[in-house]
Amino acid sequence: MFDGIAKRYDLLNRLTTFGIDRLWRQKAIGKLNLHSNHTVLDLAAGTLDISATILKRYPSVRVIAADPSKEMMKMGRTKLSSSSRIQLMASVGEQLPFIDRSLDAAIIAFGIRNFANRAQSLKQLANAIRPGGRLVILELSIPQKGMLAPMAALYIQKIIPLLGKLLSSEDEYAYLPESMKHFPQPDFFQKELQAAGFDVIETTPFMSGACTLFVSSRRN
C-alpha cells in the first residue's frame, strides 16, 4: 500500500496538515538529545524526512533508516546530500537486527500505529537502545478532549480521506482514520512504553490531540 503512494506521500502530508507536520518533526528531533558520534535509528522512516533533517542538523551523527517500503525510501534518497552517514535497510519494527545497547536513540514518526505487534517492537527497541538513550515517537490518534476535538475528528475522518482519494488512487488515506481509531489514547500508550522498559519524560499533544509527541528514556 505504501509503495503505491510513495510518489505522492510528501505532497499529501503537506496538504492534509497544512505543512505543520514539518514543525512536529523538528520538535521531535530536538527531543532526541543527540551528541557527537551518536547512532540514531529512524524507524518507519518512510520518505526519509526525519533522517535527512537529522543529518543536516547534527554533522557527526550516524543515522540508520529502516522501513519495509523500499519505494518510500527510494523517493527519500533525493533528500540526502550525503550518504556516508546513513544506512538504509528494509526492516519492520517487530524484527530489528540490532545487538543490545547498540543505539543511542530512536525515533518513530507516524508509523507505530501500523505495527502488527507494538509490544514486541517496543521491547526490541528497549533492548537495542542504551540505558538513558531516548525513544521519541510522534503519532496520530482521534482527538477525544478539548473544544476543537470534534472539528479535528471530523477533519481526520471525513476530509483527509476525501483529499487522499482526489489526489491518489490508493486506499492509504481511507485507511488512515481507521488506523488512528485503533491507536491507544496517550495515557494507555504511556503504559505500553513503561511496560517495555522506558520512562516517559513528557507527552505533548498537538492540534487538540490529533498528534501526540511522546518522549521517553531507556530505563537503567
Side-chain angles (χ1 to χ4, degrees), residues 19 49 51 60 91 138 198:
D49 270 356
S51 294
S60 65
S91 179
L138 271 173
F198 294 95

Side-chain angles (χ1 to χ4, degrees), residues 55-87:
L55 291 172
K56 292 177 183 177
R57 191 165 173 177
Y58 300 97
S60 65
V61 166
R62 177 173 173 257
V63 176
I64 302 172
D67 196 287
S69 173
K70 294 181 180 179
E71 286 300 315
M72 293 278 278
M73 288 196 291
K74 180 180 178 180
M75 292 299 302
R77 286 176 184 169
T78 60
K79 303 173 186 177
L80 303 177
S81 57
S82 172
S83 60
S84 61
R85 292 187 290 117
I86 187 168
Q87 175 186 353

